[in-house]
Amino acid sequence: MDSFCNFVKTFNIFILEDNINKAVELIKNARQITAFTGAGISVESGIPPFRGEAGLWNKYDPMVLDINYFFSNPKESWGIIREIFYDFFGNAEPNKAHFVLAEMEKNNLLESVITQNIDNLHQEAGSKTVHEFHGNSKKLICVDCRTVYKVGEISIKVLPPKCKNCNGLLKPDFIFFGEGIPQNAYIASVDAANKSDLFIVIGTTGEVMPACQIPVMAKQNGAKIIEVNPEFSKFTNSITDVFLQGKATEVMGKLSDALF
Ligand code: NAD
Ligand code: ZN
């Protein structure tokens, strides 16, 4: 059994090396590259995904992120939000995969990152053009006058936090269930899907609508798709051209070694 397991392991490493070479060729020959990231890229920074065994929804009720629930119960909703997004994950730092994407942009190998994440880690790693499909937890927005604050500017010791301008209710500047996608991010993402000839999709199940339509749109417009994920996703057997099976830091580290 042991020797069979070793055989499978060696075989998988061989496939990964071969696919890394294919990915590098695609990257070197591409005209415009976009990265599309999900919760998986931040798992090795200590932020769990929503779904799956270690997912947040096994511990918390997603109701706290429903916009109607938030407006009816801002204090209760904020209590859980503070625990998840500010106490637990507030100090998470970017990992190798975030840094490699920033390095690729600096070297003109990447046009932009479209992220479903709200953790600000792409920007903290140095990425400049980031389209935040679901907003950003490091900012708070007044639901009345729309003033935006950085998290550190406002105390969240007493909940719910209030606007310094108009005393309105402050909400994290990410989208809740029942809210629309920020228009600027949506337009920029569709534009990237229309113009890019290569998408690098990292750490996403491809189950969240309408974000999951963006790589599909790119594929329909002729883009090649490289996917990085330890598990198969909705994309793997449908739109993916080169599947790099593994953790984001490991795979992006290998890509970086081959590129730079
Ligand atoms: P998801 O929770 O549905 O799935 C996570 C994916 O990451 C899975 O496909 C899993 O196989 C993969 N994964 C796990 N570990 C990985 C690793 N080390 N390297 C690479 N991939 C790994 O995530 P989703 O598809 O992004 O959708 C969930 C939604 O939840 C998103 O819209 C996002 O806004 C939000 N979310 C954000 C954060 C964050 O900001 N970091 C965290 C949790 C959820
Ligand atoms: Zn206000």
Side-chain angles (χ1 to χ4, degrees):
M1 192 62 186
D2 263 6
S3 60
F4 179 69
C5 289
N6 284 338
F7 169 74
V8 170
K9 218 168 156 187
T10 312
F11 188 64
N12 283 343
I13 290 170
F14 175 71
I15 291 180
L16 181 59
E17 296 303 333
D18 191 39
N19 284 350
I20 292 275
N21 293 337
K22 286 183 188 155
V24 168
E25 273 314 292
L26 286 177
I27 291 170
K28 284 187 174 161
N29 292 320
R31 188 181 25 79
Q32 180 172 323
I33 307 177
T34 298
F36 178 86
T37 66
I41 196 171
S42 296
V43 164
E44 291 163 274
S45 290
I47 307 179
F50 278 167
R51 291 172 192 71
E53 247 172 72
L56 288 172
W57 298 148
N58 274 342
K59 189 166 173 208
Y60 298 101
D61 185 345
M63 176 71 95
V64 293
L65 291 187
D66 180 281
I67 193 65
N68 294 320
Y69 182 84
F70 176 76
F71 280 123
S72 320
N73 308 277
K75 195 177 157 96
E76 290 72 20
S77 186
W78 251 112
I80 305 289
I81 288 169
R82 179 174 63 189
E83 189 177 316
I84 303 177
F85 295 100
Y86 301 104
D87 293 348
F88 288 172
F89 312 136
N91 297 322
E93 290 183 353
N95 64 48
K96 177 81 182 174
H98 297 103
F99 285 117
V100 171
L101 291 179
E103 191 66 18
M104 286 177 69
E105 183 183 10
K106 211 167 137 198
N107 286 280
N108 297 319
L109 288 174
L110 189 71
E111 186 82 9
S112 64
V113 177
I114 300 169
T115 190
Q116 298 168 84
N117 296 343
I118 56 172
D119 53 28
N120 204 47
L121 294 185
H122 286 297
Q123 291 91 331
E124 287 171 37
S127 285
K128 300 285 180 232
T129 309
V130 182
H131 308 307
E132 295 180 306
F133 214 82
H134 294 148
N136 188 316
S137 64
K138 299 286 166 79
K139 291 184 255 167
L140 306 181
I141 184 163
C142 172
V143 301
D144 292 330
C145 73
R146 313 304 290 172
T147 301
V148 175
Y149 299 91
K150 284 190 186 148
V151 160
E153 289 176 87
I154 297 285
S155 166
I156 51 171
K157 279 197 181 122
V158 178
L159 297 177
K162 293 288 177 66
C163 178
K164 290 179 184 173
N165 229 3
C166 75
N167 208 37
L169 173 64
L170 292 182
K171 169 187 169 294
D173 196 14
F174 56 74
I175 62 160
F176 283 39
F177 297 120
E179 288 192 291
I181 305 301
Q183 212 183 0
N184 288 351
Y186 187 77
I187 291 170
S189 301
V190 170
D191 189 56
N194 285 332
K195 293 184 181 153
S196 303
D197 56 348
L198 180 61
F199 254 58
I200 306 176
V201 175
I202 308 172
T204 177
T205 51
E207 285 175 15
V208 177
M209 282 281 279
C212 63
Q213 291 171 329
I214 298 292
V216 176
M217 237 179 250
K219 177 78 176 186
Q220 284 164 350
N221 289 327
K224 295 278 186 204
I225 311 288
I226 296 171
E227 183 183 8
V228 180
N229 202 315
E231 310 287 339
F232 281 43
S233 75
K234 285 255 153 96
F235 298 129
T236 316
N237 286 322
S238 54
I239 62 166
T240 297
D241 293 289
V242 178
F243 185 46
L244 303 176
Q245 188 162 23
K247 292 182 176 179
T249 58
E250 174 203 350
V251 172
M252 294 308 288
K254 283 183 192 287
L255 262 189
S256 162
D257 291 345
L259 284 170
F260 303 116

